[in-house]
Structure formats: C-alpha cells, structure tokens
Amino acid sequence: MSCILPFINLEARTDGTMAVCCIMQESAKKDDGTEFNLANGDTLSDVKKSKWLKELQRDFQLGRKFKACDNCWKEEEAGIESKRLRENSFWGEDFFPSDLKSLDLKLGNICNAKCRICSSFASSQWAAEELKLNPSNERARSFNKLGMWPKKNENFWDDIDNNLKKIQKLEFFGGEPLLIDRHYDILEKCVELDIAKDIRIAYNTNASIFPEDKISLWEEFQRVEIFVSLDDIDNRFEYIRHPGNFSEAMYHLALFDKLPKDKFELGIFQTFSIFNICNMEDLTKYLSNYFDHLRIHYNMVFTPNHISPKVLPKRVKEKISLLYKDSPDFVQKTLNFMNGEHYEEKDWHNFLFTTKLLDNHREEKFENTFPILFDMIEKDWNGIQ
C-alpha cells in the first residue's frame, strides 16, 4: 500500500500551500497545525524538515492508507492506474530514500484560459471572471492574491537553487507554465550547475503556446516530457477549454510532435468530466488519424464536485453506461469511476446553476454543444432557473 512520493517529492501549489503530490487532499502543516504557505515566506525545505512529513513517511512505511490519499485508492478500485502506481513503477516501489529527487512546481495561477473543469485556484482568468460575476467573492480574490507568491517570495527561489543538485525530475504544471517566464531561471541554473543532463523535465500545457526560442534550453536536459491538455474535439474542446481554439491547439501539437524523439516525449492529458462523459472515445479516434503512437493519459475529475461525472444522477449514469457496451478498456474504467460513488444532490444543482450562469456570461450553449448528455438531463436543466 506504500507510495514513493512522500520520500522523494514535494509539490508547490498555485496558492502557496505545499504537499507531496498533486493528488493529495491535504497541505503540509506546521507543528501548531497551521499550513505552510509560500505566500508567507515559507519554503519547500521547511516542509522537508517538518514533523508532518516525517509522520506521513512513517505511515506509508507501515503500509497505512493515508486518508488524504483517498483519490488514488478510489482510482485503483475502479481499475485505473493511479498516480501512486505510476510513480512507484517509475522510481521503484521498495526504495525509500531520504533525498529530495523530484519537484512538482506550480508557480502561481497565471493562466490564459478559464477551463470549465478548473477554478480560480489554478487560473487567474477564472479569478477575474468570478470577481466580475460577483465582486464580493472573497475566495476568488484570495486565490488571485495567493497565486502571486512566486513574485514575492525570494526565499523560495534561493531554496530551490540549494536543492537542485540531487534533483532528477522537475515538473512544471499550472496555471499555464509556459507563461511563467521565471521558471526558465530554474532551468538555466541547472545548466549553469552542469546537472541539466541528468534531469528530466515535464510540462502540462494547454497548447496555446509553442516556445520556439526555448527549445535549445530544453535540449540541455536528459529528457523533456510535454503533456498537452486536450479533453475533446472541435467546439466541445473550445467550450471546455475556453477561450481555447481547437485548430490552434492542433497546430501547436504538431509542432511539439516534430521535436526530436530521442529527447522529447509528447503525450496527452485527457480529463474526463461531466462535459465529455458522453464523448469519451472521440478524441482518441481523432488523434489516431494524425499522430503515430501518441500516448494518452486519462485523468478523472474528483473536484470541483459539480464537474465530476460522479455528480450525475444515478438514472443518468445508467443511460451513459448503456452508450458504451462495447467500448475500450479506458472507457470501462472511467464508467467504474463514475459509478463507484455518488455525490450529493446539492452538487448536481450547482452544476446546473453554474453552467447556465457561465453560458449566459460567455454566450455559449451547453445544450447545443453536448446534445447527447443534454437529452438525458433536459428535465433537470429546465427545472433550474
């Protein structure tokens, strides 16, 4: 039941909190029970030395199921390869080093998109829209302020430099990492220290940017993994990844695909939410017509609750399951995930209300974009004003 990440990895989150990975539903705590936060001048090394981390490591060494890691256990129950299993396979499941070997760096919430499956926690554009819709939304205001921590905490940057020499992997997620220029300072420091050749770097990008002027810097590293977030095709992609343009995303994906295969690895993160649950196979089929051997990793939405397929009424889940009687393994596992837990009715009402609100604000139409699902929920949809 153990996981390698508490022993080798730390995550810096967009709001300045820290943890051992992006799946964990808890943030690192000080001895007094308050959270460490990069917005307050704390550092990753503070977490590394903390009692909280030592107790977490002890629990994993004893094979305990840590409550904050339930999302991995739930994915595994559905037959999905969780982050725990992927990382154990990559690093070696029975190896518990004490050195920090991997960093997952989300350097603030700067982003040029406001995806329906996201929030102000990970997108400055979302925060701006939420405040426009509701100027008294203190949650969005707080996330926007906390998301600026990379510009204010110089201790963080000094601390990173001091921890680089034993690092073997750097992950840059977002926000949109390719918009955060200062992350390139970390890469240049690795080159200066002559350690870049021993480090893998990984990105999750929304395909709105192709940083042609940074390719030579990337080539200094052992391996570069670029994962592009694509959840659907055509107008459904543009609805989910607003204001993304599907043609532009495909153009940039083709540019990434032309990078040397001995140095660069290209993959797709397809996230299954309530929006694309009736169209799960379309992206895979589309990409197979244009790209050879493009690896697709299928993500599941746990939160926000009202966006997860788990929030659908049971009667709707049963109809969706019937759509996929003869479907690939990844679809069946997603159905297992969807059917394995039922969220509260208030979350379902939140989906209907929020989707209508955003449709009106963005001049979009859920019912036209996702007609298969809409036919299943039309009565519920019309009942929410």
Side-chain angles (χ1 to χ4, degrees), residues 10 48 68 101 113 131 189 206 225 255 260 293 299 322 368:
L10 286 176
K48 184 180 177 182
K101 295 183 179 298
L131 287 169
K189 185 67 175 182
N206 62 22
E225 299 173 341
L255 292 178
H293 310 296
N299 289 324
L322 289 174
N368 294 344

Side-chain angles (χ1 to χ4, degrees), residues 88-99:
N88 282 354
S89 176
F90 179 82
W91 293 101
E93 185 173 4
D94 298 320
F95 181 48
F96 295 111
S98 58
D99 290 330

Side-chain angles (χ1 to χ4, degrees), residues 44-57:
L44 290 167
S45 288
D46 293 330
V47 175
K48 184 180 177 182
K49 296 179 289 187
S50 70
K51 180 181 177 182
W52 176 87
L53 183 60
K54 289 178 172 59
E55 290 180 350
L56 177 64
Q57 292 171 341

